[in-house]
Amino acid sequence: MKEAPTSSSSSSSEEEENENTLSKSENNENDEDDESALLSRGHLFDAFKFTSVSKNPLVKISTRVFEKFLPDLFVKRRRRTKEANAKTNFARKVKQWVSQIESSYQDSIDYHNRAHATDVTQSIGYMLGNGLREELDDVEVFALICTAVAHDCGHPGKSNLFLVETKSEKAKRWNNEAVNENGHVEFAIEAFEKCEVFRNDDDDVRSSNRRSDEKNRSEEMKETVYEILKTAILYTDMNKHETLIEDFREALERNRGKKAIKEWAKKEDVHVALGYVLHCADVLNGCRPWPVAKKWAELITEEFCKQGDVEKSLGFEKLTGAHVDRALRTDITSSRQAIKFAEETVKPLYGLLKEIVPNAVEPLLTQLELNVEKHRALIQESQR
């Protein structure tokens, strides 16, 4: 596990370079150039702009992340060899899988849409590029990126509690437990099977032993990816927040002295770590530049209030929480909620995340604190 740097000069110069890259591209009419500039922003990434210039932003962002961190499996051009064709076919099927996942996100939903999935996927790329890649093996990296892509697929814009209270079919199917998250896992795995991502379809002539070995490796990869999907996505249920922190803390303690997560003795501990990283990525939008973070805060507030509107229309005697009651909403509601979430959820999460990716965490906490102060200023201004 990595040590934090003693100097911030390199990171600050990198941010200056990113700013220059973005400003140079603002008037560029080529979407590819715009996408590249936006991707170079690191933790300052703006998913709203990226979504506006990309026809399929989740496919685009995931392809970039796959190609960057798994170059042996995902490259733009290959020599025409049978081995290369097999890898190209795998990449093609993964892209089909991402496309199916992206189509399940509803743009009519304010927060849990493909812009959010794009933001979380880029967040994973940011962490991989700031120390996490060296901690993981290839299959773990692949699975982690997939969890980001699919972690909210098919989200209905309603909370688990709402689905339980309305006795929805989904709630019945999952026995009222992690209703949304179980649905996300199920959809993701069904899409993997439909796209035959893990089927070995290389048609060259090989010995039966070699074919058997390759089939076994594909099956092992599929089993690992599915296990990580289930563990990580189920941990994104906010009801599992405290449990996840405790599980991750215990995993860290059991593996003190190990150089990297991939060397941890128990695969369950590795999967917990990946779930922890995904959870941190899922709540990273509060660490984006102020205008972006502010917009995310407003969108989640609006999504909550729309749920409350539905609850009132259904005649709920008691709403599922004050946060969904539009009658209680003010101009600073989203700021109050953002501050509470930052202080009680994000900061403690990232405090532990420093144990594995300190280089990634420090800029996030700095930006988060800046945003919290901006929110506080808005509240103070409203009280004058």
Side-chain angles (χ1 to χ4, degrees):
M1 286 175 269
K2 306 294 181 291
E3 294 292 332
T6 57
S7 172
S8 61
S9 59
S10 60
S11 61
S12 60
S13 61
E14 183 178 332
E15 286 187 13
E16 290 176 4
E17 182 179 347
N18 289 339
E19 292 286 353
N20 292 334
T21 304
L22 181 65
S23 62
K24 289 178 182 177
S25 71
E26 285 178 343
N27 297 319
N28 196 318
E29 295 180 357
N30 188 308
D31 283 354
E32 288 294 327
D33 290 342
D34 289 343
E35 289 168 3
S36 296
L38 289 166
L39 282 169
S40 74
R41 300 273 286 161
H43 74 286
L44 302 176
F45 176 72
D46 184 343
F48 303 116
K49 284 186 178 179
F50 189 83
T51 302
S52 72
V53 301
S54 300
K55 184 177 180 181
N56 302 106
L58 191 53
V59 171
K60 287 284 181 68
I61 196 80
S62 61
T63 299
R64 298 291 185 93
V65 177
F66 280 131
E67 288 177 353
K68 181 173 182 178
F69 297 105
L70 293 168
D72 289 341
L73 291 178
F74 297 87
V75 295
K76 293 181 179 179
R77 295 181 179 84
R78 287 192 177 278
R79 289 177 299 170
R80 300 294 292 179
T81 67
K82 290 178 178 179
E83 180 182 6
N85 284 341
K87 291 181 178 181
T88 301
N89 287 338
F90 175 75
R92 174 182 53 78
K93 289 186 289 186
V94 171
K95 191 172 183 178
Q96 291 175 344
W97 174 80
V98 178
S99 182
Q100 284 201 15
I101 297 297
E102 181 166 7
S103 67
S104 76
Y105 286 99
Q106 302 176 45
D107 289 338
S108 60
I109 293 174
D110 293 275
Y111 181 89
H112 290 100
N113 52 38
R114 62 180 182 161
H116 171 62
T118 297
D119 184 74
V120 175
T121 302
Q122 191 276 343
S123 298
I124 292 296
Y126 166 74
M127 293 183 192
L128 287 169
N130 283 276
L132 185 61
R133 179 62 182 94
E134 292 76 19
E135 296 279 329
L136 308 174
D137 66 28
D138 286 355
V139 175
E140 291 159 0
V141 170
F142 174 76
L144 180 60
I145 298 168
C146 290
T147 65
V149 169
H151 80 285
D152 273 330
C153 60
H155 200 291
K158 304 295 187 296
S159 69
N160 288 336
L161 182 55
F162 176 91
L163 297 175
V164 170
E165 291 293 322
T166 55
K167 297 180 173 55
S168 69
E169 289 302 315
K170 284 186 177 181
K172 294 175 185 176
R173 177 176 179 77
W174 302 112
N175 297 316
N176 297 337
E177 287 292 326
V179 181
N180 277 317
E181 291 75 21
N182 273 302
H184 306 326
V185 172
E186 180 181 55
F187 188 95
I189 290 178
E190 286 179 351
F192 268 126
E193 294 296 320
K194 185 176 180 179
C195 296
E196 299 183 321
V197 171
F198 300 104
R199 184 172 71 86
N200 191 337
D201 54 4
D202 190 10
D203 59 0
D204 62 329
V205 179
R206 298 182 300 269
S207 69
S208 59
N209 286 340
R210 184 178 175 189
R211 288 198 301 271
S212 178
D213 289 344
E214 291 178 353
K215 182 178 180 180
N216 289 338
R217 284 196 295 272
S218 295
E219 286 297 318
E220 288 174 4
M221 181 180 185
K222 179 170 80 169
E223 181 179 346
T224 300
V225 170
Y226 287 4
E227 286 178 355
I228 292 171
L229 272 175
K230 292 174 184 176
T231 300
I233 293 179
L234 288 178
Y235 269 132
T236 63
D237 179 359
M238 284 305 299
N239 285 334
K240 303 289 195 305
H241 174 72
E242 296 297 335
T243 300
L244 174 56
I245 290 177
E246 188 59 31
D247 289 348
F248 183 56
R249 183 179 286 112
E250 291 176 358
L252 286 171
E253 290 302 321
R254 277 193 293 270
N255 294 280
R256 289 293 177 193
K258 302 292 194 330
K259 290 184 178 180
I261 293 171
K262 60 188 174 186
E263 297 177 3
W264 290 6
K266 296 174 61 176
K267 70 176 183 179
E268 291 82 4
D269 285 348
V270 174
H271 297 177
V272 167
L274 296 177
Y276 197 87
V277 170
L278 176 64
H279 187 39
C280 289
D282 195 17
V283 299
L284 188 144
N285 57 64
C287 306
R288 299 301 191 185
W290 167 243
V292 180
K294 183 173 181 287
K295 186 172 182 179
W296 282 120
E298 291 167 348
L299 288 173
I300 189 62
T301 301
E302 178 61 18
E303 186 173 308
F304 287 152
C305 287
K306 284 183 177 176
Q307 176 178 310
D309 295 341
V310 174
E311 291 177 15
K312 288 181 180 180
S313 72
L314 293 174
F316 274 42
E317 292 185 7
K318 183 179 180 181
L319 300 184
T320 54
H323 65 292
V324 305
D325 193 345
R326 191 180 296 279
L328 300 178
R329 185 174 179 178
T330 69
D331 291 340
I332 57 171
T333 295
S334 61
S335 286
R336 290 190 184 280
Q337 292 173 344
I339 292 172
K340 180 179 174 65
F341 195 72
E343 298 290 348
E344 297 181 4
T345 301
V346 181
K347 287 184 180 180
L349 270 178
Y350 286 4
L352 264 184
L353 187 63
K354 281 185 180 180
E355 295 275 351
I356 55 174
V357 282
N359 292 348
V361 172
E362 290 297 344
L364 298 177
L365 288 176
T366 298
Q367 185 65 46
L368 181 66
E369 190 56 43
L370 290 172
N371 292 340
V372 166
E373 291 305 314
K374 292 274 192 179
H375 282 299
R376 288 198 175 109
L378 287 179
I379 293 173
Q380 292 173 357
E381 180 67 26
S382 72
Q383 295 172 340
R384 289 177 183 173

